[in-house]
PDB file of all heavy atoms in Angstrom:
ATOM      1  N   LEU A 646      -3.116 -50.791 -22.793  1.00 97.00           N
ATOM      2  CA  LEU A 646      -4.577 -50.672 -23.102  1.00 97.00           C
ATOM      3  C   LEU A 646      -4.871 -51.150 -24.544  1.00 97.00           C
ATOM      4  O   LEU A 646      -4.048 -50.877 -25.426  1.00 97.00           O
ATOM      5  CB  LEU A 646      -4.995 -49.204 -22.957  1.00 97.00           C
ATOM      6  CG  LEU A 646      -4.745 -48.551 -21.646  1.00 97.00           C
ATOM      7  CD1 LEU A 646      -5.358 -47.163 -21.635  1.00 97.00           C
ATOM      8  CD2 LEU A 646      -5.266 -49.329 -20.448  1.00 97.00           C
ATOM      9  N   SER A 647      -5.946 -51.812 -24.734  1.00 96.00           N
ATOM     10  CA  SER A 647      -6.326 -52.297 -26.089  1.00 96.00           C
ATOM     11  C   SER A 647      -6.802 -51.095 -26.916  1.00 96.00           C
ATOM     12  O   SER A 647      -7.161 -50.045 -26.406  1.00 96.00           O
ATOM     13  CB  SER A 647      -7.447 -53.327 -25.930  1.00 96.00           C
ATOM     14  OG  SER A 647      -8.655 -52.757 -25.522  1.00 96.00           O
ATOM     15  N   GLN A 648      -6.797 -51.301 -28.237  1.00 96.00           N
ATOM     16  CA  GLN A 648      -7.318 -50.296 -29.102  1.00 96.00           C
ATOM     17  C   GLN A 648      -8.761 -49.970 -28.836  1.00 96.00           C
ATOM     18  O   GLN A 648      -9.263 -48.866 -28.946  1.00 96.00           O
ATOM     19  CB  GLN A 648      -7.131 -50.740 -30.621  1.00 96.00           C
ATOM     20  CG  GLN A 648      -5.658 -50.758 -31.056  1.00 96.00           C
ATOM     21  CD  GLN A 648      -5.035 -49.352 -30.990  1.00 96.00           C
ATOM     22  OE1 GLN A 648      -5.683 -48.392 -31.402  1.00 96.00           O
ATOM     23  NE2 GLN A 648      -3.772 -49.354 -30.494  1.00 96.00           N
ATOM     24  N   GLU A 649      -9.528 -51.044 -28.527  1.00 97.00           N
ATOM     25  CA  GLU A 649     -10.939 -50.852 -28.139  1.00 97.00           C
ATOM     26  C   GLU A 649     -11.089 -49.957 -26.956  1.00 97.00           C
ATOM     27  O   GLU A 649     -11.967 -49.108 -26.910  1.00 97.00           O
ATOM     28  CB  GLU A 649     -11.592 -52.210 -27.920  1.00 97.00           C
ATOM     29  CG  GLU A 649     -11.722 -53.094 -29.141  1.00 97.00           C
ATOM     30  CD  GLU A 649     -10.450 -53.773 -29.572  1.00 97.00           C
ATOM     31  OE1 GLU A 649      -9.494 -53.715 -28.716  1.00 97.00           O
ATOM     32  OE2 GLU A 649     -10.387 -54.336 -30.607  1.00 97.00           O
ATOM     33  N   LYS A 650     -10.205 -50.165 -25.964  1.00 97.00           N
ATOM     34  CA  LYS A 650     -10.321 -49.336 -24.734  1.00 97.00           C
ATOM     35  C   LYS A 650      -9.932 -47.891 -25.091  1.00 97.00           C
ATOM     36  O   LYS A 650     -10.561 -46.932 -24.557  1.00 97.00           O
ATOM     37  CB  LYS A 650      -9.421 -49.924 -23.634  1.00 97.00           C
ATOM     38  CG  LYS A 650      -9.447 -49.128 -22.339  1.00 97.00           C
ATOM     39  CD  LYS A 650     -10.793 -49.028 -21.708  1.00 97.00           C
ATOM     40  CE  LYS A 650     -11.284 -50.317 -21.204  1.00 97.00           C
ATOM     41  NZ  LYS A 650     -12.607 -50.246 -20.505  1.00 97.00           N
ATOM     42  N   LEU A 651      -8.908 -47.665 -25.888  1.00 97.00           N
ATOM     43  CA  LEU A 651      -8.530 -46.331 -26.232  1.00 97.00           C
ATOM     44  C   LEU A 651      -9.619 -45.673 -26.985  1.00 97.00           C
ATOM     45  O   LEU A 651      -9.930 -44.471 -26.733  1.00 97.00           O
ATOM     46  CB  LEU A 651      -7.266 -46.362 -27.104  1.00 97.00           C
ATOM     47  CG  LEU A 651      -5.916 -46.805 -26.433  1.00 97.00           C
ATOM     48  CD1 LEU A 651      -4.853 -46.824 -27.492  1.00 97.00           C
ATOM     49  CD2 LEU A 651      -5.553 -45.841 -25.349  1.00 97.00           C
ATOM     50  N   ALA A 652     -10.294 -46.341 -27.892  1.00 97.00           N
ATOM     51  CA  ALA A 652     -11.371 -45.774 -28.672  1.00 97.00           C
ATOM     52  C   ALA A 652     -12.593 -45.466 -27.712  1.00 97.00           C
ATOM     53  O   ALA A 652     -13.206 -44.407 -27.909  1.00 97.00           O
ATOM     54  CB  ALA A 652     -11.785 -46.746 -29.717  1.00 97.00           C
ATOM     55  N   GLU A 653     -12.813 -46.325 -26.728  1.00 97.00           N
ATOM     56  CA  GLU A 653     -13.863 -46.070 -25.797  1.00 97.00           C
ATOM     57  C   GLU A 653     -13.574 -44.793 -25.039  1.00 97.00           C
ATOM     58  O   GLU A 653     -14.545 -43.956 -24.802  1.00 97.00           O
ATOM     59  CB  GLU A 653     -13.997 -47.304 -24.870  1.00 97.00           C
ATOM     60  CG  GLU A 653     -15.052 -47.198 -23.807  1.00 97.00           C
ATOM     61  CD  GLU A 653     -15.025 -48.379 -22.837  1.00 97.00           C
ATOM     62  OE1 GLU A 653     -14.727 -49.496 -23.245  1.00 97.00           O
ATOM     63  OE2 GLU A 653     -15.341 -48.151 -21.694  1.00 97.00           O
ATOM     64  N   ILE A 654     -12.401 -44.621 -24.513  1.00 97.00           N
ATOM     65  CA  ILE A 654     -12.076 -43.434 -23.754  1.00 97.00           C
ATOM     66  C   ILE A 654     -12.125 -42.220 -24.662  1.00 97.00           C
ATOM     67  O   ILE A 654     -12.672 -41.138 -24.234  1.00 97.00           O
ATOM     68  CB  ILE A 654     -10.671 -43.581 -23.136  1.00 97.00           C
ATOM     69  CG1 ILE A 654     -10.661 -44.721 -22.106  1.00 97.00           C
ATOM     70  CG2 ILE A 654     -10.193 -42.263 -22.447  1.00 97.00           C
ATOM     71  CD1 ILE A 654      -9.293 -45.070 -21.516  1.00 97.00           C
ATOM     72  N   ASN A 655     -11.594 -42.276 -25.848  1.00 97.00           N
ATOM     73  CA  ASN A 655     -11.687 -41.056 -26.738  1.00 97.00           C
ATOM     74  C   ASN A 655     -13.075 -40.723 -27.133  1.00 97.00           C
ATOM     75  O   ASN A 655     -13.399 -39.526 -27.253  1.00 97.00           O
ATOM     76  CB  ASN A 655     -10.825 -41.404 -27.952  1.00 97.00           C
ATOM     77  CG  ASN A 655      -9.359 -41.260 -27.723  1.00 97.00           C
ATOM     78  OD1 ASN A 655      -8.932 -40.425 -26.903  1.00 97.00           O
ATOM     79  ND2 ASN A 655      -8.509 -42.079 -28.360  1.00 97.00           N
ATOM     80  N   ASP A 656     -13.970 -41.688 -27.301  1.00 97.00           N
ATOM     81  CA  ASP A 656     -15.349 -41.409 -27.575  1.00 97.00           C
ATOM     82  C   ASP A 656     -15.999 -40.765 -26.435  1.00 97.00           C
ATOM     83  O   ASP A 656     -16.774 -39.759 -26.585  1.00 97.00           O
ATOM     84  CB  ASP A 656     -16.125 -42.704 -27.964  1.00 97.00           C
ATOM     85  CG  ASP A 656     -15.768 -43.241 -29.357  1.00 97.00           C
ATOM     86  OD1 ASP A 656     -15.292 -42.455 -30.154  1.00 97.00           O
ATOM     87  OD2 ASP A 656     -16.092 -44.384 -29.668  1.00 97.00           O
ATOM     88  N   LEU A 657     -15.734 -41.245 -25.219  1.00 97.00           N
ATOM     89  CA  LEU A 657     -16.322 -40.614 -24.032  1.00 97.00           C
ATOM     90  C   LEU A 657     -15.776 -39.136 -23.826  1.00 97.00           C
ATOM     91  O   LEU A 657     -16.496 -38.305 -23.442  1.00 97.00           O
ATOM     92  CB  LEU A 657     -15.910 -41.489 -22.795  1.00 97.00           C
ATOM     93  CG  LEU A 657     -16.488 -41.048 -21.507  1.00 97.00           C
ATOM     94  CD1 LEU A 657     -17.998 -41.184 -21.426  1.00 97.00           C
ATOM     95  CD2 LEU A 657     -15.863 -41.929 -20.341  1.00 97.00           C
TER      96      LEU A 657
END
Side-chain angles (χ1 to χ4, degrees):
L646 306 185
S647 67
Q648 290 299 317
E649 291 78 9
K650 180 59 70 176
L651 291 178
E653 179 185 328
I654 295 173
N655 282 325
D656 285 343
L657 184 64

